[in-house]
Amino acid sequence: MKFFDSHAHLDDDKFNDDREEIINKIHNENIDKFISAGYSLEGSEKAIELSNKYKFIYSTCGISPNDIPQTEEKLWIMLEKIEKLAKENKKVVAIGEIGLDYYWNKDNKELQKKAFIKQIEMADRLELPIVIHTREAVMDTLEILKQNNVKCKGVFHCCPLNRELVKEGLKLGFYISFAGPITFKNSKNANEIIEMVPLDRILIETDSPYLSPEPLRGRRNDPRNVKYIAQKIAEVKGIALEEVANITYKNAEEIFNI
């Protein structure tokens, strides 16, 4: 049985002391592939560096809503650099993570929207899917996706357990990626949301080093723990863990064209 962790941040400082050791352990424990996800210019560069060093790691690059600069001028310069990175590196499989976050940032909503739309346009030019981060911005996220055709579709990463978002996201042709929160004991509607998503649209991820699943909540997360997310989906769907592992692996390869 092999797993594909579709979103992790192994470039994070929390792995500075043992990154190589952890990556070797990951690969030896049936995590056959994973994506090192960019979220800033520096983070995207580090993600690409990791993917170029290890055959089984792929990368995304983009500017998240929590990492956009304060001015449009600086944003456009940054996005030019992101597009250059994506063009020049064959192991970049998506533009992301991009989107809207009104939990951490309420003062720059319009600039967040512009950054999101510009990166959708970038993904279309490069014929790449997008990886979407959305937090407390469901309606604006959906409105932008409905008004701006996303040629190669993409993924709602660490998808919020919001019925409207999942329902409309599926209608628009996007994949839904589940992470540690579906295993949390206080995650009241996780089962219902999992049931809403057909097997051919589900991805699994850890969002390492954050959001460790039960029973490891509170510890540093890494891609080896993606099996706990797969196990939760298997229990809710009433199918074998191996089936979840196989179909989510296949789904990740399809959406990221690997």
Side-chain angles (χ1 to χ4, degrees), residues 221-237:
N221 202 6
D222 73 59
R224 290 175 294 175
N225 298 330
V226 78
K227 61 182 177 287
Y228 294 106
I229 291 99
Q231 183 61 54
K232 173 68 176 182
I233 293 167
E235 290 168 5
V236 172
K237 296 282 193 185

PDB file of all heavy atoms in Angstrom, residues 221-237:
ATOM      1  N   ASN A 221       3.729  17.678  12.644  1.00  0.00           N
ATOM      2  CA  ASN A 221       3.168  16.776  11.636  1.00  0.00           C
ATOM      3  C   ASN A 221       4.176  16.522  10.531  1.00  0.00           C
ATOM      4  O   ASN A 221       5.042  17.369  10.262  1.00  0.00           O
ATOM      5  CB  ASN A 221       1.910  17.430  11.045  1.00  0.00           C
ATOM      6  CG  ASN A 221       0.956  16.445  10.407  1.00  0.00           C
ATOM      7  OD1 ASN A 221       1.144  15.245  10.478  1.00  0.00           O
ATOM      8  ND2 ASN A 221      -0.080  16.966   9.778  1.00  0.00           N
ATOM      9  N   ASP A 222       4.073  15.363   9.876  1.00  0.00           N
ATOM     10  CA  ASP A 222       4.859  15.112   8.667  1.00  0.00           C
ATOM     11  C   ASP A 222       4.087  14.127   7.781  1.00  0.00           C
ATOM     12  O   ASP A 222       3.095  13.532   8.231  1.00  0.00           O
ATOM     13  CB  ASP A 222       6.286  14.638   8.990  1.00  0.00           C
ATOM     14  CG  ASP A 222       6.368  13.213   9.510  1.00  0.00           C
ATOM     15  OD1 ASP A 222       5.934  12.278   8.789  1.00  0.00           O
ATOM     16  OD2 ASP A 222       6.895  13.004  10.630  1.00  0.00           O
ATOM     17  N   PRO A 223       4.482  13.962   6.515  1.00  0.00           N
ATOM     18  CA  PRO A 223       3.684  13.172   5.570  1.00  0.00           C
ATOM     19  C   PRO A 223       3.403  11.731   5.969  1.00  0.00           C
ATOM     20  O   PRO A 223       2.458  11.127   5.450  1.00  0.00           O
ATOM     21  CB  PRO A 223       4.506  13.248   4.276  1.00  0.00           C
ATOM     22  CG  PRO A 223       5.140  14.604   4.349  1.00  0.00           C
ATOM     23  CD  PRO A 223       5.538  14.729   5.803  1.00  0.00           C
ATOM     24  N   ARG A 224       4.157  11.167   6.885  1.00  0.00           N
ATOM     25  CA  ARG A 224       3.880   9.795   7.317  1.00  0.00           C
ATOM     26  C   ARG A 224       2.490   9.678   7.950  1.00  0.00           C
ATOM     27  O   ARG A 224       1.893   8.599   7.960  1.00  0.00           O
ATOM     28  CB  ARG A 224       4.933   9.331   8.330  1.00  0.00           C
ATOM     29  CG  ARG A 224       6.310   9.120   7.730  1.00  0.00           C
ATOM     30  CD  ARG A 224       7.336   8.791   8.792  1.00  0.00           C
ATOM     31  NE  ARG A 224       7.560   9.920   9.692  1.00  0.00           N
ATOM     32  CZ  ARG A 224       8.342   9.885  10.772  1.00  0.00           C
ATOM     33  NH1 ARG A 224       8.951   8.751  11.097  1.00  0.00           N
ATOM     34  NH2 ARG A 224       8.507  10.952  11.524  1.00  0.00           N
ATOM     35  N   ASN A 225       1.977  10.798   8.458  1.00  0.00           N
ATOM     36  CA  ASN A 225       0.693  10.770   9.157  1.00  0.00           C
ATOM     37  C   ASN A 225      -0.515  10.852   8.223  1.00  0.00           C
ATOM     38  O   ASN A 225      -1.654  10.864   8.689  1.00  0.00           O
ATOM     39  CB  ASN A 225       0.631  11.909  10.176  1.00  0.00           C
ATOM     40  CG  ASN A 225       1.707  11.771  11.239  1.00  0.00           C
ATOM     41  OD1 ASN A 225       2.125  10.658  11.570  1.00  0.00           O
ATOM     42  ND2 ASN A 225       2.169  12.892  11.772  1.00  0.00           N
ATOM     43  N   VAL A 226      -0.268  10.908   6.922  1.00  0.00           N
ATOM     44  CA  VAL A 226      -1.385  11.009   5.979  1.00  0.00           C
ATOM     45  C   VAL A 226      -2.282   9.762   6.048  1.00  0.00           C
ATOM     46  O   VAL A 226      -3.457   9.803   5.703  1.00  0.00           O
ATOM     47  CB  VAL A 226      -0.855  11.255   4.542  1.00  0.00           C
ATOM     48  CG1 VAL A 226      -0.334   9.968   3.904  1.00  0.00           C
ATOM     49  CG2 VAL A 226      -1.908  11.900   3.663  1.00  0.00           C
ATOM     50  N   LYS A 227      -1.731   8.681   6.548  1.00  0.00           N
ATOM     51  CA  LYS A 227      -2.521   7.440   6.656  1.00  0.00           C
ATOM     52  C   LYS A 227      -3.698   7.592   7.614  1.00  0.00           C
ATOM     53  O   LYS A 227      -4.720   6.920   7.461  1.00  0.00           O
ATOM     54  CB  LYS A 227      -1.637   6.264   7.079  1.00  0.00           C
ATOM     55  CG  LYS A 227      -0.958   6.405   8.417  1.00  0.00           C
ATOM     56  CD  LYS A 227      -0.075   5.204   8.716  1.00  0.00           C
ATOM     57  CE  LYS A 227       0.676   5.334  10.030  1.00  0.00           C
ATOM     58  NZ  LYS A 227       1.775   6.319   9.950  1.00  0.00           N
ATOM     59  N   TYR A 228      -3.565   8.482   8.613  1.00  0.00           N
ATOM     60  CA  TYR A 228      -4.670   8.680   9.558  1.00  0.00           C
ATOM     61  C   TYR A 228      -5.855   9.377   8.879  1.00  0.00           C
ATOM     62  O   TYR A 228      -7.015   9.100   9.206  1.00  0.00           O
ATOM     63  CB  TYR A 228      -4.203   9.493  10.763  1.00  0.00           C
ATOM     64  CG  TYR A 228      -3.190   8.780  11.621  1.00  0.00           C
ATOM     65  CD1 TYR A 228      -1.843   9.146  11.605  1.00  0.00           C
ATOM     66  CD2 TYR A 228      -3.576   7.718  12.445  1.00  0.00           C
ATOM     67  CE1 TYR A 228      -0.909   8.492  12.381  1.00  0.00           C
ATOM     68  CE2 TYR A 228      -2.641   7.052  13.235  1.00  0.00           C
ATOM     69  CZ  TYR A 228      -1.315   7.441  13.197  1.00  0.00           C
ATOM     70  OH  TYR A 228      -0.386   6.776  13.970  1.00  0.00           O
ATOM     71  N   ILE A 229      -5.559  10.272   7.947  1.00  0.00           N
ATOM     72  CA  ILE A 229      -6.630  10.934   7.194  1.00  0.00           C
ATOM     73  C   ILE A 229      -7.312   9.909   6.285  1.00  0.00           C
ATOM     74  O   ILE A 229      -8.538   9.859   6.186  1.00  0.00           O
ATOM     75  CB  ILE A 229      -6.081  12.129   6.389  1.00  0.00           C
ATOM     76  CG1 ILE A 229      -5.642  13.258   7.330  1.00  0.00           C
ATOM     77  CG2 ILE A 229      -7.123  12.684   5.438  1.00  0.00           C
ATOM     78  CD1 ILE A 229      -4.198  13.345   7.625  1.00  0.00           C
ATOM     79  N   ALA A 230      -6.478   9.079   5.629  1.00  0.00           N
ATOM     80  CA  ALA A 230      -7.032   8.029   4.761  1.00  0.00           C
ATOM     81  C   ALA A 230      -7.885   7.054   5.552  1.00  0.00           C
ATOM     82  O   ALA A 230      -8.949   6.611   5.086  1.00  0.00           O
ATOM     83  CB  ALA A 230      -5.892   7.287   4.061  1.00  0.00           C
ATOM     84  N   GLN A 231      -7.450   6.720   6.770  1.00  0.00           N
ATOM     85  CA  GLN A 231      -8.198   5.775   7.603  1.00  0.00           C
ATOM     86  C   GLN A 231      -9.565   6.337   7.978  1.00  0.00           C
ATOM     87  O   GLN A 231     -10.578   5.623   7.957  1.00  0.00           O
ATOM     88  CB  GLN A 231      -7.402   5.453   8.867  1.00  0.00           C
ATOM     89  CG  GLN A 231      -8.061   4.420   9.780  1.00  0.00           C
ATOM     90  CD  GLN A 231      -8.252   3.077   9.101  1.00  0.00           C
ATOM     91  OE1 GLN A 231      -7.301   2.496   8.580  1.00  0.00           O
ATOM     92  NE2 GLN A 231      -9.488   2.577   9.090  1.00  0.00           N
ATOM     93  N   LYS A 232      -9.616   7.629   8.296  1.00  0.00           N
ATOM     94  CA  LYS A 232     -10.899   8.264   8.639  1.00  0.00           C
ATOM     95  C   LYS A 232     -11.857   8.211   7.446  1.00  0.00           C
ATOM     96  O   LYS A 232     -13.055   7.891   7.612  1.00  0.00           O
ATOM     97  CB  LYS A 232     -10.646   9.718   9.047  1.00  0.00           C
ATOM     98  CG  LYS A 232     -11.908  10.548   9.260  1.00  0.00           C
ATOM     99  CD  LYS A 232     -12.708  10.095  10.464  1.00  0.00           C
ATOM    100  CE  LYS A 232     -13.905  11.030  10.694  1.00  0.00           C
ATOM    101  NZ  LYS A 232     -14.679  10.660  11.884  1.00  0.00           N
ATOM    102  N   ILE A 233     -11.350   8.498   6.260  1.00  0.00           N
ATOM    103  CA  ILE A 233     -12.192   8.446   5.057  1.00  0.00           C
ATOM    104  C   ILE A 233     -12.693   7.017   4.823  1.00  0.00           C
ATOM    105  O   ILE A 233     -13.863   6.803   4.496  1.00  0.00           O
ATOM    106  CB  ILE A 233     -11.419   8.977   3.828  1.00  0.00           C
ATOM    107  CG1 ILE A 233     -11.138  10.474   3.997  1.00  0.00           C
ATOM    108  CG2 ILE A 233     -12.186   8.716   2.534  1.00  0.00           C
ATOM    109  CD1 ILE A 233     -10.137  11.030   3.007  1.00  0.00           C
ATOM    110  N   ALA A 234     -11.809   6.045   5.006  1.00  0.00           N
ATOM    111  CA  ALA A 234     -12.189   4.637   4.822  1.00  0.00           C
ATOM    112  C   ALA A 234     -13.321   4.249   5.776  1.00  0.00           C
ATOM    113  O   ALA A 234     -14.283   3.574   5.387  1.00  0.00           O
ATOM    114  CB  ALA A 234     -10.973   3.739   5.037  1.00  0.00           C
ATOM    115  N   GLU A 235     -13.222   4.693   7.029  1.00  0.00           N
ATOM    116  CA  GLU A 235     -14.254   4.366   8.024  1.00  0.00           C
ATOM    117  C   GLU A 235     -15.601   4.977   7.640  1.00  0.00           C
ATOM    118  O   GLU A 235     -16.638   4.314   7.723  1.00  0.00           O
ATOM    119  CB  GLU A 235     -13.815   4.879   9.405  1.00  0.00           C
ATOM    120  CG  GLU A 235     -12.656   4.096   9.998  1.00  0.00           C
ATOM    121  CD  GLU A 235     -12.045   4.783  11.218  1.00  0.00           C
ATOM    122  OE1 GLU A 235     -12.592   5.830  11.645  1.00  0.00           O
ATOM    123  OE2 GLU A 235     -11.022   4.280  11.724  1.00  0.00           O
ATOM    124  N   VAL A 236     -15.585   6.255   7.220  1.00  0.00           N
ATOM    125  CA  VAL A 236     -16.837   6.944   6.885  1.00  0.00           C
ATOM    126  C   VAL A 236     -17.466   6.351   5.626  1.00  0.00           C
ATOM    127  O   VAL A 236     -18.689   6.157   5.551  1.00  0.00           O
ATOM    128  CB  VAL A 236     -16.590   8.458   6.709  1.00  0.00           C
ATOM    129  CG1 VAL A 236     -17.847   9.158   6.178  1.00  0.00           C
ATOM    130  CG2 VAL A 236     -16.155   9.086   8.024  1.00  0.00           C
ATOM    131  N   LYS A 237     -16.621   6.037   4.642  1.00  0.00           N
ATOM    132  CA  LYS A 237     -17.127   5.498   3.376  1.00  0.00           C
ATOM    133  C   LYS A 237     -17.429   4.003   3.450  1.00  0.00           C
ATOM    134  O   LYS A 237     -18.049   3.454   2.537  1.00  0.00           O
ATOM    135  CB  LYS A 237     -16.093   5.737   2.258  1.00  0.00           C
ATOM    136  CG  LYS A 237     -15.826   7.209   1.930  1.00  0.00           C
ATOM    137  CD  LYS A 237     -16.925   7.803   1.081  1.00  0.00           C
ATOM    138  CE  LYS A 237     -16.532   9.139   0.479  1.00  0.00           C
ATOM    139  NZ  LYS A 237     -17.653   9.772  -0.257  1.00  0.00           N
TER     140      LYS A 237
END
